[in-house]
Amino acid sequence: TYVWMDADTWLQDPAGLRWLMAASAYADLAGIPTVHRSYVFREHDMTWLVRRYEMAFGRTIAMKLMQHSYMNSGVFASSARSPLWKKFAARFQAALDRWQGDFLSDQAVLNAVSQLDGITTEQLPAQANWICHLARPVWDPRRRLFCAPSMPFEPLMILHNTFNAKQDRHPVRSL
């Protein structure tokens, strides 16, 4: 099993890795849809996503993909024998062949493969890849953990520094 974690992720709880490994045994792809009741999507978040889909696949497929929650490609797992890899390579090459943009998003390709190519996906909760620019985590000093910013303040397993200004300090609320 391959587990991918972007360099801007932080593993707070090893259970996040165990969940990814276990989930990849049940499906071709273990991923985390970008869905949580605390997440706030701004216009630029959605514009960025639809633009990447359009550049890779055209307007028709982009609109079809926008009907689904997207999986952030910064944290996922897949078995070495999964059909994901060949399907991803084929879609990525096709996207490269038609590409006209600033950069090709592997996230767009991963979502196209997961939504359109018949692979099975095991979806883990947001705690396994917390998207920090959509909802800043809170600090629980008693448990000494970063948590989701709404009741019941569930502990996060993997935090993903998706802020545009990655080198900046971002204040967090303490419980």
Side-chain angles (χ1 to χ4, degrees):
T1 297
Y2 292 97
V3 174
W4 177 263
M5 291 178 61
D6 279 357
D8 60 358
T9 59
W10 177 63
L11 180 66
Q12 174 171 259
D13 182 348
L17 286 178
R18 289 192 295 273
W19 279 15
L20 284 161
M21 298 284 290
S24 70
Y26 297 107
D28 300 321
L29 170 66
I32 301 92
T34 306
V35 175
H36 191 274
R37 67 188 180 282
S38 297
Y39 285 168
V40 176
F41 290 89
R42 292 173 178 80
E43 184 178 347
H44 70 270
D45 297 313
M46 304 315 292
T47 302
W48 184 93
L49 183 61
V50 75
R51 180 76 181 121
R52 295 310 173 277
Y53 285 155
E54 286 176 344
M55 285 191 286
F57 310 113
R59 181 97 176 135
T60 302
I61 292 177
M63 291 301 100
K64 186 172 184 176
L65 290 170
M66 288 302 291
Q67 296 174 21
H68 303 278
S69 314
Y70 74 93
M71 280 191 287
N72 177 279
S73 62
V75 176
F76 71 92
S78 186
S79 162
R81 293 180 301 279
S82 171
L84 167 76
W85 305 112
K86 285 185 181 177
K87 291 180 181 203
F88 183 89
R91 277 220 183 253
F92 201 89
Q93 187 59 57
L96 278 174
D97 291 346
R98 72 179 311 267
W99 192 253
Q100 294 178 0
D102 47 0
F103 71 94
L104 178 57
S105 169
D106 59 331
Q107 185 163 285
V109 176
L110 184 70
N111 279 275
V113 171
S114 71
Q115 298 296 334
L116 305 174
D117 291 343
I119 67 165
T120 58
T121 304
E122 186 67 31
Q123 297 183 2
L124 297 174
Q127 294 90 314
N129 183 21
W130 189 260
I131 306 299
C132 290
H133 84 273
L134 296 178
R136 198 166 290 176
V138 296
W139 176 252
D140 183 340
R142 185 181 57 77
R143 293 184 286 179
R144 301 187 51 79
L145 294 169
F146 286 105
C147 300
S150 52
M151 285 292 293
F153 305 110
E154 61 266 349
L156 303 175
M157 296 176 182
I158 300 171
L159 286 83
H160 196 162
N161 182 13
T162 53
F163 292 110
N164 284 336
K166 292 182 186 292
Q167 302 304 318
D168 292 354
R169 291 178 185 230
H170 300 280
V172 296
R173 182 171 57 108
S174 182
L175 298 177

